[in-house]
Amino acid sequence: MPAFDVQQFRQQFAFFQQQPEWVYLDNAATMHKPQAVIDAITQFYQHYNSNVHRGAHQLSQQATILFEQARSTVASYINAQHLHEIIFCSGATAALNQIAFGLMHTVLQPGDRILLTQLEHHANIVPWQLHCQRHGVIIDVVPLTAEHRIDLVAYEQLLALGPKVVSFSHISNVLGHIQPVAEMVRLAKAAGAVTVIDGAQGIVYQQPDMQQLDCDFYVFSGHKLYGPTGIGVLYGKTEQLEHLTPIFAGGEMIDSVSFINTSFNKLPFRLEAGTPNIAGAIGLSAAIEWLQKYNNKQIIQHKSLLLKEFYNGLTFIKGIDILSSHVHNAGIVALNVDSEHPADVAELLNQQQIAVRSGQHCAMPLFSCLARPGAIRCSFAAYNTLDDVNRCLLALEQTVEILTA
Amino acid sequence: MPAFDVQQFRQQFAFFQQQPEWVYLDNAATMHKPQAVIDAITQFYQHYNSNVHRGAHQLSQQATILFEQARSTVASYINAQHLHEIIFCSGATAALNQIAFGLMHTVLQPGDRILLTQLEHHANIVPWQLHCQRHGVIIDVVPLTAEHRIDLVAYEQLLALGPKVVSFSHISNVLGHIQPVAEMVRLAKAAGAVTVIDGAQGIVYQQPDMQQLDCDFYVFSGHKLYGPTGIGVLYGKTEQLEHLTPIFAGGEMIDSVSFINTSFNKLPFRLEAGTPNIAGAIGLSAAIEWLQKYNNKQIIQHKSLLLKEFYNGLTFIKGIDILSSHVHNAGIVALNVDSEHPADVAELLNQQQIAVRSGQHCAMPLFSCLARPGAIRCSFAAYNTLDDVNRCLLALEQTVEILTA
Amino acid sequence: MTLEQLLADTKPVLLDIQQRNLAEIEQARDWQAKYRVLMQLGKKLPAIPEKMKQPELLVKGCESRAWLMHYHDKATDKHYFVLDSEARIVKGLMAIMLCLVNGMTTTELCQFDLCHKFDQLNLKPYLSQSRGNGLTAMVSRIKQCCK
Amino acid sequence: MTLEQLLADTKPVLLDIQQRNLAEIEQARDWQAKYRVLMQLGKKLPAIPEKMKQPELLVKGCESRAWLMHYHDKATDKHYFVLDSEARIVKGLMAIMLCLVNGMTTTELCQFDLCHKFDQLNLKPYLSQSRGNGLTAMVSRIKQCCK
Ligand SMILES: Cc1ncc(COP(=O)(O)O)c(C=O)c1O
Ligand SMILES: Cc1ncc(COP(=O)(O)O)c(C=O)c1O
């Protein structure tokens, strides 16, 4: 296979032609979309638009085939055992809410415990908080080590309390740190817990293998994987999905309805009430198919190169406080300029057309433990170039200069 | 204003150029998208793609402006009083689930009653059933008259039982009958009930005026209003939205999060957890802006003409059992061929490239009261032509001939 | 009426379909002709009496209901079926499928590829993944019988 | 420290901003110069002491926190404010806004259009609808004071 050609890769994103002056390093918030994805959506609306699983007519059947092929593309990408283990939903947040809601009263009873970690995104905290509070379930939280990684010793100790559910992110959306998910799943399963992985950041870093990883649930959003907004995936093992109480009820998820008695349809339909985001699913599947034309090892290499260059460059700028470690890092760097507020740093970068995010990145509990008011976050994607890295470094230097003048 | 030019209107739908041989009469399931909508989505992804309400950078601010402009377009289209009364969600089903879930424990206490009608879509039945059962709330159902319309006498009698919530559809998705929603809202409000309108079919028939209609909630899906899949609107009066417990928790809907205490953000964000369907909202808003270039009175006239022609033609075909009345009909006709199963009728129409839906149309309780195993449904849109009507009539004739040969 | 009787009544019908009607369908000059044959097949296939249509026999498509009865002859390891559907065209399609699978052994049944066979008969479009189509549901129900 | 003292300390600063710095910003030769002035403004504006930063004074943007104190002189119907922000640039922008609105009557405040004023100063881009921007939140909090 030829080497990874970043220019060829980048050319497929019309965005960079439209906004050539920008350095986009906010990839952990959302990614840009290759033309293949935009074309798939356009094509669907222009040629095949119809509702799915409802039609007596061939147009609807065609749309259904495309929609179900999208499910199959996702299933084989993450190596799910069955097609019906892929539930389409509106995003990672929706998926995590479905899981938290759906496990109450089935897997989780009052007095039971669940286990989260200190570095979770709010989407993997608040849904649990709300439902656990209502249902009397106790939440334990795995603390972090001094290196801002999940403390595996504490993890094992907390597992000994017998949580029924353990939920953690594959990759921290703030720090970029890759968690030892395989090991964490293994330990959790040995302790008899249901395992949930928030793969919102993990999915774009590597192609996760559900059967090998052996977790019970894995969720992600399409828009962080080169795909459209408004679509996400809830993967679950069959027997786990069977336990899930649907958070949405409505058309096509029931088998029969009367005002006396209603019975549910089978998976995946039981968990996909209403008209799904058909174009969204097709767009996501186009993203995955497109991505598979590239060698992910080479992409990872390319991203490590960017990261290495970035870390290297940072050492030459005074007063930079780096929160992310460069080891086991998926391409996200959180940092501050000493004693400056991240909002100021981000604004000055913005003036130089470097797009980063600043703040607490929907991970307040992490920041309360990092004891910083926030950070700016530079998150790199495969379409970023060494030039992007250098422009960002230069802009940071300029920023520090202005702030400390 | 010049007369409505259906050919000019229809030309804006690439679908009909791609599938010229089809007569699409499944509009109540989903509508086709004008080029303006497809272009808006493409344009967003190519020029402005970024996450919203999160960014320190100008790209995100641009995306946010577009997203909030979409909210404003929707708000002024339905004449909401405040922008924050428009909550973006994934569709009508999601919106109805949010309402049913969100009212439990705030507005609805164990022992309370709610009122639905016999002709509701499952999306306006099952969410209520699930949550009411859990929380001990009683569901009453308004029966239909012999003409398959909501029985207003019975409605008033059931209102006398003091339901806290009344929920009904603006237009029946099976029969096309337009409900007297203004009167029903007035009566419900006089009885002190919170009013919910399922506007999934209503929104495309006319531009509803929230302040005049004075209902508490009104919901619809983008894909049935020339817009993208995966986006919908939950309109609610401010004071009612304030009562709603969010069904989804996550990023941006909270103000601060700790493992001890979490506090919510203000409207509309409190009810929009996670990354929204940004391109979806922008596409929906493009649909509305495009639609507003036309005169809705003329569109209604055009659709009545189609309907009149269709009803007229049906009288010449033997053995047709029409379930929909032509008076106060928004353009949907449910019918059967005497003693034939609707699936057979639909399949033979499909062979003649007439796209209709058959079955119970996610309204089983209605069919149990109609005492039919189902029906085929011909639903007309503004882009349908008299030629479409005639081809459908011819195909129906041919179908009857084959079935009764 | 018993399952044995139904099976006995069904057998000659299937034989006749195989020997005569499949060719008719393949050679139909237009879709009208093809559908006329399909509906005749549906009519020819013995109906399951209402009283015997127990809920557990129900195979649901979105638009029409169908029922399946199964008999496994352990001695010969052969599987036999009787079926019925509300909708005439679907029943005709099911009749064709039935005459292909009836009497298969467990292994044959597991390996059976309806798609391929229907393709030969130009009937593949009826095997969509849409839940609307009761046929797909019927095939997977039949496949379950060999587990 | 009391609110009165803070108001008294703030007044001359605002006057100075109005008389000198606004022109500097308008005439800044590049963005760096403009931001340098903005940050100086932020520094000049008296800070609200930590002890006085009661939770109810907090105005939240997504990225930085700010605080607002309000004094309404009933006799003259004039509104006076003191504010503070964690972020220097935002505080500079708020200082500019403040020198525009400080001392306005209720009617003036209600009618005040920040967008328009900021447009004149080429600062409009900072008034985005994004919740990220604390300035927008600050303006609406100030507007609430005239209700
Ligand atoms: C009356 C009515 N309500 C609700 C819905 C559900 O809409 P969606 O499937 O877009 O969520 C529909 C459409 O199927 C409908 O016609
Ligand atoms: C780790 C993590 N979890 C969950 C989410 C929520 O994803 P979404 O906003 O697409 O629902 C995100 C993204 O913001 C994330 O980074």
Side-chain angles (χ1 to χ4, degrees):
Chain A
M1 179 158 303
F4 177 69
D5 178 350
V6 64
Q7 286 309 333
Q8 188 275 344
F9 190 86
R10 187 178 171 93
Q11 263 157 30
Q12 298 178 58
F13 294 79
F15 180 85
F16 298 116
Q17 276 127 54
Q18 297 297 336
Q19 308 276 4
E21 66 291 356
W22 277 90
V23 174
Y24 186 81
L25 298 180
D26 197 13
N27 295 292
T30 200
M31 293 191 81
H32 291 295
K33 324 300 174 197
Q35 197 56 36
V37 169
I38 300 172
D39 289 346
I41 297 169
T42 300
Q43 170 113 343
F44 171 71
Y45 284 135
Q46 292 189 341
H47 293 244
Y48 305 110
N49 179 60
S50 254
N51 213 324
V52 294
H53 286 301
R54 283 163 163 80
H57 52 85
Q58 199 187 316
L59 296 170
S60 163
Q61 283 172 21
Q62 273 171 9
T64 305
I65 289 171
L66 289 173
F67 180 66
E68 291 303 322
Q69 269 170 0
R71 194 189 307 281
S72 149
T73 303
V74 174
S76 64
Y77 190 64
I78 65 173
N79 195 25
Q81 203 179 346
H82 303 287
L83 291 181
H84 64 243
E85 293 179 331
I86 303 300
I87 308 294
F88 284 121
C89 60
S90 60
T93 300
L96 288 164
N97 277 277
Q98 166 64 78
I99 297 170
F101 174 88
L103 291 175
M104 297 292 149
H105 289 304
T106 58
V107 167
L108 288 166
Q109 305 299 337
D112 283 348
R113 314 185 81 90
I114 70 159
L115 189 52
L116 306 175
T117 92
Q118 187 77 31
L119 53 64
E120 296 310 312
H121 186 281
H122 294 168
N124 196 21
I125 299 174
V126 198
W128 297 107
Q129 278 185 330
L130 293 186
H131 296 297
C132 288
Q133 201 161 18
R134 280 198 172 192
H135 297 282
V137 172
I138 300 147
I139 302 179
D140 295 314
V141 182
V142 189
L144 306 184
T145 63
E147 292 78 38
H148 310 151
R149 292 185 186 270
I150 292 175
D151 181 337
L152 288 181
V153 177
Y155 178 61
E156 285 202 64
Q157 284 162 354
L158 287 163
L159 280 178
L161 297 179
K164 290 273 174 64
V165 177
V166 178
S167 184
F168 47 83
S169 48
H170 189 160
I171 287 166
S172 155
N173 70 308
V174 176
L175 303 168
H177 295 172
I178 305 164
Q179 322 298 346
V181 281
E183 175 69 0
M184 287 175 75
V185 167
R186 199 185 58 73
L187 291 169
K189 292 195 93 73
V194 170
T195 48
V196 182
I197 300 183
D198 172 357
Q201 300 295 338
I203 190 73
V204 66
Y205 178 66
Q206 62 173 43
Q207 192 176 343
D209 181 323
M210 291 305 116
Q211 294 184 55
Q212 198 182 312
L213 196 50
D214 202 31
C215 56
D216 294 304
F217 295 104
Y218 191 97
V219 311
F220 61 93
S221 293
H223 72 97
K224 296 192 204 255
L225 184 64
Y226 306 99
T229 55
I231 187 79
V233 170
L234 159 52
Y235 158 83
K237 283 190 186 169
T238 307
E239 63 273 26
Q240 295 299 335
L241 289 175
E242 298 285 5
H243 280 152
L244 232 45
T245 312
I247 193 165
F248 282 167
E252 304 300 304
M253 59 77 75
I254 28 71
D255 221 20
S256 75
V257 174
S258 76
F259 281 103
I260 308 304
N261 193 21
T262 288
S263 68
F264 289 117
N265 199 339
K266 65 183 200 299
L267 289 170
F269 309 108
R270 194 172 67 89
L271 296 169
E272 289 181 354
T275 303
N277 187 351
I278 308 167
I282 289 168
L284 172 57
S285 139
I288 291 175
E289 278 172 2
W290 167 85
L291 187 59
Q292 283 180 294
K293 289 197 245 156
Y294 297 89
N295 179 322
N296 195 46
K297 276 217 187 95
Q298 294 184 345
I299 287 182
I300 289 181
Q301 261 168 24
H302 170 69
K303 280 172 69 179
S304 327
L305 192 72
L306 299 181
L307 212 58
K308 204 174 142 196
E309 192 76 7
F310 188 59
Y311 270 99
N312 188 36
L314 286 177
T315 58
F316 296 99
I317 308 176
K318 256 194 235 142
I320 299 283
D321 167 30
I322 308 176
L323 308 179
S324 305
S325 158
H326 67 282
V327 286
H328 296 304
N329 186 315
I332 302 176
V333 184
L335 55 85
N336 276 309
V337 174
D338 277 345
S339 74
E340 297 297 337
H341 195 280
D344 289 326
V345 179
E347 177 50 34
L348 292 171
L349 289 175
N350 177 47
Q351 279 301 317
Q352 298 167 82
Q353 302 190 290
I354 312 291
V356 302
R357 194 180 162 195
S358 89
Q360 306 204 344
H361 314 282
C362 296
M364 291 187 189
L366 170 61
F367 277 94
S368 77
C369 135
L370 293 175
R372 264 94 167 174
I376 69 155
R377 177 184 70 183
C378 304
S379 49
F380 298 90
Y383 45 58
N384 286 122
T385 61
L386 281 175
D387 190 50
D388 287 343
V389 171
N390 289 323
R391 276 193 58 198
C392 177
L393 287 167
L394 270 176
L396 255 175
E397 226 176 293
Q398 168 87 270
T399 299
V400 172
E401 203 182 298
I402 296 175
L403 284 171
T404 54
Chain B
M1 179 158 300
F4 177 70
D5 178 350
V6 64
Q7 286 309 334
Q8 188 276 342
F9 189 87
R10 188 177 170 93
Q11 263 157 29
Q12 297 177 58
F13 295 79
F15 180 85
F16 298 116
Q17 277 127 53
Q18 297 296 337
Q19 306 278 5
E21 64 292 357
W22 276 90
V23 174
Y24 186 81
L25 298 180
D26 197 13
N27 293 292
T30 199
M31 293 191 80
H32 291 296
K33 324 301 174 197
Q35 197 55 37
V37 168
I38 299 172
D39 288 345
I41 297 169
T42 301
Q43 169 112 345
F44 170 71
Y45 284 134
Q46 292 190 341
H47 292 245
Y48 304 112
N49 179 59
S50 254
N51 213 325
V52 295
H53 287 301
R54 282 164 164 80
H57 51 86
Q58 199 187 316
L59 297 170
S60 164
Q61 283 172 22
Q62 274 170 10
T64 305
I65 289 171
L66 290 173
F67 181 67
E68 290 304 322
Q69 271 170 0
R71 195 189 306 280
S72 149
T73 303
V74 173
S76 64
Y77 190 65
I78 66 172
N79 195 25
Q81 205 179 344
H82 303 286
L83 291 181
H84 65 242
E85 293 180 334
I86 303 300
I87 308 295
F88 283 121
C89 59
S90 61
T93 300
L96 289 164
N97 278 277
Q98 165 63 78
I99 297 171
F101 175 87
L103 292 175
M104 297 293 148
H105 289 303
T106 57
V107 166
L108 288 166
Q109 306 298 337
D112 283 349
R113 314 186 82 91
I114 69 159
L115 189 53
L116 305 175
T117 91
Q118 186 76 33
L119 52 65
E120 297 310 312
H121 187 280
H122 294 168
N124 196 23
I125 298 174
V126 198
W128 298 107
Q129 279 185 330
L130 292 187
H131 296 296
C132 288
Q133 201 161 19
R134 279 198 171 192
H135 297 282
V137 172
I138 301 146
I139 301 178
D140 295 314
V141 183
V142 189
L144 305 183
T145 63
E147 291 78 37
H148 310 154
R149 290 182 187 273
I150 292 174
D151 182 338
L152 289 181
V153 177
Y155 179 60
E156 286 202 64
Q157 285 163 352
L158 287 163
L159 280 178
L161 297 179
K164 290 271 173 66
V165 177
V166 179
S167 184
F168 47 83
S169 50
H170 189 161
I171 287 165
S172 155
N173 70 309
V174 177
L175 302 166
H177 295 170
I178 304 164
Q179 322 298 348
V181 280
E183 175 69 0
M184 286 175 76
V185 168
R186 199 184 59 71
L187 290 169
K189 292 196 93 72
V194 169
T195 48
V196 182
I197 301 184
D198 172 357
Q201 300 295 337
I203 190 74
V204 67
Y205 177 67
Q206 64 173 42
Q207 191 176 344
D209 181 323
M210 290 304 116
Q211 295 185 56
Q212 200 183 312
L213 196 51
D214 202 31
C215 56
D216 295 304
F217 294 105
Y218 192 97
V219 310
F220 61 93
S221 292
H223 72 97
K224 296 192 203 255
L225 184 65
Y226 305 100
T229 54
I231 186 78
V233 171
L234 158 53
Y235 158 84
K237 283 190 183 169
T238 306
E239 64 272 26
Q240 294 299 336
L241 290 176
E242 297 286 4
H243 279 152
L244 233 44
T245 311
I247 193 165
F248 282 166
E252 303 300 305
M253 60 79 73
I254 28 76
D255 222 17
S256 74
V257 174
S258 76
F259 280 104
I260 309 302
N261 192 21
T262 288
S263 68
F264 289 117
N265 200 337
K266 64 183 204 299
L267 288 171
F269 309 107
R270 195 172 67 89
L271 296 169
E272 289 180 354
T275 302
N277 186 350
I278 309 169
I282 289 168
L284 172 56
S285 141
I288 291 175
E289 278 173 0
W290 168 85
L291 188 58
Q292 283 180 295
K293 289 198 244 155
Y294 297 88
N295 180 321
N296 196 45
K297 276 219 188 91
Q298 293 183 346
I299 287 183
I300 290 182
Q301 261 168 25
H302 169 69
K303 281 173 68 180
S304 327
L305 191 72
L306 299 182
L307 211 59
K308 205 174 140 193
E309 192 76 5
F310 188 59
Y311 270 101
N312 188 38
L314 286 178
T315 58
F316 295 99
I317 307 176
K318 255 194 235 143
I320 299 284
D321 166 31
I322 307 176
L323 308 179
S324 305
S325 157
H326 67 281
V327 285
H328 296 304
N329 187 315
I332 301 175
V333 184
L335 55 84
N336 276 309
V337 173
D338 278 344
S339 74
E340 297 297 337
H341 196 279
D344 288 326
V345 178
E347 178 50 36
L348 292 172
L349 289 174
N350 177 47
Q351 280 301 316
Q352 298 167 82
Q353 301 190 293
I354 313 290
V356 302
R357 193 178 162 197
S358 88
Q360 306 205 344
H361 314 282
C362 296
M364 290 188 189
L366 171 61
F367 276 94
S368 77
C369 135
L370 294 174
R372 266 86 167 182
I376 70 154
R377 176 181 72 180
C378 304
S379 49
F380 297 91
Y383 45 59
N384 286 123
T385 61
L386 280 176
D387 190 51
D388 288 342
V389 171
N390 289 324
R391 275 194 58 199
C392 177
L393 287 166
L394 271 176
L396 256 174
E397 228 176 291
Q398 168 88 271
T399 299
V400 172
E401 204 182 296
I402 295 175
L403 284 171
T404 54
Chain C
M1 187 70 90
T2 65
L3 176 56
E4 282 69 35
Q5 271 177 289
L6 275 167
L7 283 165
D9 291 355
T10 301
K11 206 170 179 179
V13 176
L14 293 179
L15 207 68
D16 189 46
I17 291 178
Q18 204 144 25
Q19 290 174 346
R20 279 199 314 142
N21 305 118
L22 288 190
E24 275 173 37
I25 286 179
E26 261 181 291
Q27 289 148 20
R29 90 200 115 76
D30 54 21
W31 67 268
Q32 287 96 329
K34 187 189 280 185
Y35 273 80
R36 286 212 178 87
V37 181
L38 271 180
M39 289 192 291
Q40 280 163 19
L41 303 195
K43 227 181 228 164
K44 270 160 76 167
L45 206 65
I48 299 178
E50 286 307 314
K51 267 188 273 180
M52 290 174 75
K53 288 179 180 163
Q54 298 301 316
E56 66 274 15
L57 304 183
L58 191 62
V59 180
K60 274 175 200 149
C62 187
E63 299 165 40
S64 57
R65 294 179 301 166
W67 294 265
L68 179 75
M69 297 178 85
H70 170 232
Y71 173 74
H72 184 204
D73 182 346
K74 297 238 168 68
T76 60
D77 185 33
K78 287 188 172 177
H79 296 266
Y80 299 93
F81 305 91
V82 175
L83 55 76
D84 202 353
S85 163
E86 288 182 325
R88 288 157 64 184
I89 298 169
V90 173
K91 191 170 175 190
L93 289 165
M94 287 177 179
I96 294 177
M97 177 207 57
L98 196 57
C99 75
L100 298 172
V101 302
N102 216 42
M104 276 187 173
T105 64
T106 304
T107 332
E108 286 168 339
L109 204 55
C110 282
Q111 285 166 357
F112 176 68
D113 180 1
L114 186 66
C115 251
H116 183 68
K117 288 281 176 196
F118 266 49
D119 212 6
Q120 292 177 333
L121 292 165
N122 284 322
L123 288 172
K124 184 120 171 257
Y126 307 105
L127 284 181
S128 95
Q129 285 178 284
S130 173
R131 290 197 307 119
N133 193 320
L135 192 55
T136 320
M138 184 59 87
V139 174
S140 49
R141 177 73 77 100
I142 283 183
K143 289 246 168 187
Q144 275 171 11
C145 295
C146 64
K147 279 192 188 138
Chain D
M1 187 68 94
T2 65
L3 177 54
E4 281 69 36
Q5 271 177 289
L6 274 168
L7 283 165
D9 292 353
T10 301
K11 207 170 180 179
V13 176
L14 293 178
L15 208 67
D16 188 47
I17 292 177
Q18 202 143 25
Q19 289 173 349
R20 280 198 312 143
N21 305 116
L22 289 191
E24 274 173 37
I25 286 179
E26 260 181 293
Q27 289 147 21
R29 89 199 116 77
D30 53 20
W31 69 268
Q32 288 95 328
K34 188 188 279 185
Y35 273 81
R36 286 213 177 86
V37 182
L38 270 181
M39 289 193 291
Q40 281 164 18
L41 303 196
K43 228 181 229 168
K44 270 161 75 166
L45 205 66
I48 299 177
E50 286 307 315
K51 268 188 273 180
M52 290 174 75
K53 287 179 178 165
Q54 298 301 316
E56 64 274 15
L57 304 182
L58 190 63
V59 181
K60 274 176 203 148
C62 187
E63 298 165 43
S64 57
R65 294 178 303 163
W67 295 265
L68 180 74
M69 298 179 84
H70 170 233
Y71 172 74
H72 183 204
D73 181 347
K74 297 239 167 68
T76 60
D77 186 31
K78 287 188 170 174
H79 296 267
Y80 298 93
F81 304 91
V82 176
L83 55 74
D84 202 352
S85 164
E86 288 182 325
R88 287 157 66 184
I89 298 170
V90 173
K91 192 170 175 191
L93 290 165
M94 285 178 180
I96 294 178
M97 178 207 57
L98 196 57
C99 76
L100 297 172
V101 303
N102 215 42
M104 276 188 172
T105 64
T106 305
T107 334
E108 285 168 340
L109 203 57
C110 282
Q111 285 165 359
F112 176 69
D113 181 0
L114 186 67
C115 252
H116 183 69
K117 288 280 176 197
F118 265 48
D119 213 6
Q120 290 176 335
L121 293 165
N122 285 323
L123 288 172
K124 183 117 171 259
Y126 308 106
L127 286 179
S128 94
Q129 285 178 285
S130 173
R131 288 194 310 116
N133 192 320
L135 194 55
T136 321
M138 185 59 86
V139 174
S140 50
R141 178 73 78 99
I142 283 183
K143 289 246 167 189
Q144 276 172 10
C145 294
C146 65
K147 282 196 185 133

